[in-house]
């Protein structure tokens, strides 16, 4: 599924030809000025909106470190804006809005009032229009997804100001994306603990400004975790929820490094799953937090 995001950004302008070239070539993105703000419209594909946004945020930070993402643009629209975008009359749109008030029609509720006019989130209006065969076919963040993405942006800005590495969370995009989102949510709660965060940041890695965490589910093969981590990564972490609902975070590497135990020494082969690893940890055969090398021979 393709998702579109509109970010308010800083550190770039429509006159920056070099940066615009990178945005176009690497991201097929559009930058424009609106009411004194720079707005970046960018798309990405995946099974989960938040994970796609997270990947784009980290990719932009890597390719254009001078650019700061400040927040999502809610893209608020009034009746005239909606009519113009779908080439219908204001009267048509007003009828849809009025039907909601008169007989409980399902047109989205307004986001608020600007001046004397009501405004709506375009993402919600467009989703409703899709049901009428009038949408533009583009998927945008829901209200709840936008809140999570705003938190991601805030954490990235905070990490940059404090000189901490940017946290890059990756996950396989398949039919278990919702389960991986649950892992991400628990991980986000754990990251509020400074001790937990310091432990992650102490991991040796090639890029001091970036820390990668792979969110997985118990049935994921360990070789898939290696693919998500990337063979070029020195180390990172594996996050998974055990069968009893507990978050397990394990330091991992795609290549051998000092202090890490090769998983093959634990009897885990290329066919092993994340669940097999968690069973060793829960049984006491492997101490929680022990760094592991996933470099299968």
């Amino acid at each position: 599924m393709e998702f579109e995001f509109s970010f308010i950004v800083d550190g770039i302008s429509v006159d920056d030809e070099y940066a615009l070239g990178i945005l176009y070539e690497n991201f097929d993105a559009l930058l424009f000025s609106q009411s004194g703000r720079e707005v970046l419209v960018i798309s990405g594909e995946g099974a989960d909106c938040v994970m796609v946004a997270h990947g784009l945020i980290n990719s932009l930070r890597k390719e254009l470190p001078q650019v700061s993402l400040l927040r999502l643009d809610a893209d608020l629209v009034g009746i005239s804006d909606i009519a113009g975008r779908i080439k219908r009359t204001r009267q048509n749109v007003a009828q849809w809005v009025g039907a909601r008030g008169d007989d409980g029609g399902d047109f989205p509720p307004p986001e608020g009032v600007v001046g004397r006019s009501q405004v709506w989130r375009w993402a919600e209006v467009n989703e409703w229009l899709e049901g009428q065969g009038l949408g533009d076919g583009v998927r945008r963040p829901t209200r709840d997804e936008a809140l999570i993405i705003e938190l991601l942006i805030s954490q990235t800005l905070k990490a940059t100001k404090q000189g901490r590495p940017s946290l890059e969370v990756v996950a396989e995009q398949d039919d278990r994306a919702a389960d991986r989102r649950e892992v991400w949510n628990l991980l986000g709660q754990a990251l509020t603990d400074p001790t937990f965060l310091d432990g992650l940041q102490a991991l040796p890695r090639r890029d001091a400004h970036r820390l990668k965490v792979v969110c997985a589910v118990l049935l994921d093969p360990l070789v898939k975790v290696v693919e998500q981590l990337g063979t070029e990564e020195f180390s990172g972490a594996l996050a998974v929820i055990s069968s009893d609902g507990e978050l397990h975070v394990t330091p991992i590497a795609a290549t051998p490094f000092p202090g890490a135990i090769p998983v093959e020494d634990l009897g885990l082969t290329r066919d092993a799953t994340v669940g097999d690893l968690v069973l060793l940890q829960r049984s006491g055969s492997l101490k929680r937090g022990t760094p592991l090398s996933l470099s299968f021979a």
Side-chain angles (χ1 to χ4, degrees), residues 38-200:
E38 304 299 327
V39 182
L40 176 65
V41 180
I42 187 170
S43 301
E45 294 185 353
D48 181 89
C49 179
V50 173
M51 297 304 295
V52 171
H54 187 74
L56 288 172
I57 290 170
N58 283 291
S59 295
L60 284 166
R61 190 170 188 263
K62 182 178 180 180
E63 297 292 334
L64 293 169
Q66 75 275 24
V67 177
S68 295
L69 302 184
L70 303 181
R71 63 184 183 278
L72 278 173
D73 181 9
D75 195 9
L76 300 178
V77 292
I79 288 178
S80 295
D81 302 310
I82 298 170
R85 293 189 184 193
I86 63 173
K87 295 180 172 54
R88 291 295 181 100
T89 66
R90 294 182 73 261
Q91 287 75 17
N92 282 151
V93 180
Q95 286 174 353
W96 298 331
V97 173
R100 171 181 171 79
D102 293 338
D103 56 15
D106 58 355
F107 192 81
E111 182 74 8
V113 176
V114 176
R116 297 182 179 181
S117 302
Q118 291 180 322
V119 291
W120 290 261
R121 281 179 175 261
W122 173 244
E124 295 180 349
V125 172
N126 187 64
E127 184 177 2
W128 182 85
L129 289 169
E130 290 288 346
Q132 319 302 313
L134 298 172
D136 60 12
V138 178
R139 172 79 161 79
R140 298 174 179 85
T142 64
R143 187 183 300 265
D144 289 341
E145 289 168 342
L147 288 174
I148 299 174
I149 295 170
E150 292 276 9
L151 178 60
L152 285 173
I153 294 172
S154 175
Q155 289 178 338
T156 300
L157 285 172
K158 187 176 181 180
T160 300
K161 291 179 180 178
Q162 295 179 346
R164 292 177 177 268
S166 173
L167 188 65
E168 181 178 353
V169 183
V170 297
E172 187 79 10
Q173 296 290 298
D174 57 16
D175 57 359
R176 293 195 295 270
D179 295 329
R180 294 184 175 86
R181 168 83 75 82
E182 186 178 352
V183 177
W184 191 96
N185 290 337
L186 279 184
L187 177 65
Q189 296 174 25
L191 290 172
T192 61
D193 181 352
T195 302
F196 178 86
L197 184 57
D198 288 343
L200 282 183

